[in-house]
Every structure is written in C-alpha cells, then in structure tokens.
C-alpha cells in the first residue's frame, strides 16, 4: 500500500488467509481488498474494544447495564421471545456461542461442527 494519495498500480484482489479481507469484500461488495484491510485489523479491534469498555463503565455509573448475546449465526436464528437481562449474563457466558436460547445454541453448535467436518465455515445468507 502506497502512502501517497491516489490509485495504486495494482488492485489487491487476493484476500489474506486468516484475516477478514474476504468477508469484508463480500459484505461491502468490493472487488478489491484494500478498503477493508484496516477495518478488521487487530489494531482497529483493540481500539473499539477499549472504547466500548470505557463506555460500558460510564453507562453503569449512570444506571445502565449492557448485555450482548447471539441471536443469529449463519442461517440459524434464535426464536426466543425473552431477551437476557443483566442477571442472565452468567447463562450467556456459559454458552459456547453466547446464545441465550438453548435450542438455537444446540443448532448453532451442530452447524459449526458440521461445517468444520467439511473443512468449511458458516456463511451469512440473506433473510
């Protein structure tokens, strides 16, 4: 990557193994990886995680707790109507896929294992 502004001589179309180049290219419909290289870098992720942790602490001081959980993985979607609250964080943390719905969790784990047996991974499918 050239630090000079403007177009580079050659487009970067080969995604790097083990990086998020290919998913980023697919998500944003790009034929070139250069625009997504830093979007999913460890440096970018570390900055976002640190900022999020500070915001979470500030919100807790204001009486707001944040709880996250997985509701969809690939084509599998949780059908649970109840959302987890702060008291359910232990249950979410015990899930290998951080899914609050035990039925969806089992399906997600099986789908991951099946894809791994095939040497593949789950892909996002439009709803």
């Amino acid at each position: 990557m050239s630090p000079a502004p403007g177009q580079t001589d050659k487009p970067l179309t080969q995604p790097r193994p083990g990086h998020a180049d290919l998913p980023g290219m697919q998500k944003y419909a790009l034929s070139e990886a250069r625009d997504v290289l830093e979007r999913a870098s460890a440096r970018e992720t570390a900055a976002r995680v640190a900022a999020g942790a500070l915001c979470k602490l500030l919100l807790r001081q204001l009486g707001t707790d944040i709880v996250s959980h997985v509701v969809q993985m690939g084509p599998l979607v949780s059908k649970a109507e109840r959302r987890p609250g702060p008291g359910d964080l232990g249950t979410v943390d015990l899930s290998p896929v951080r899914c609050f719905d035990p039925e969806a969790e089992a399906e997600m784990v099986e789908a991951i294992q099946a894809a791994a047996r095939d040497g593949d991974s789950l892909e996002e499918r439009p709803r």
Side-chain angles (χ1 to χ4, degrees), residues 67 69 71 78 80-88 92 100-101:
V67 177
H69 64 111
V71 295
S78 170
E81 293 185 21
R82 186 169 98 72
R83 294 183 180 176
D88 299 312
V92 173
F100 188 59
D101 176 358

Side-chain angles (χ1 to χ4, degrees), residues 75-94:
L76 305 169
V77 181
S78 170
K79 294 172 183 63
E81 293 185 21
R82 186 169 98 72
R83 294 183 180 176
D88 299 312
L89 190 55
T91 303
V92 173
D93 285 343
L94 287 175

Side-chain angles (χ1 to χ4, degrees), residues 70-80 99 101 104 107-108 127:
V70 173
V71 295
Q72 179 174 354
M73 185 176 292
L76 305 169
V77 181
S78 170
K79 294 172 183 63
C99 183
D101 176 358
E107 292 174 359
M108 291 174 185
R127 294 183 199 189

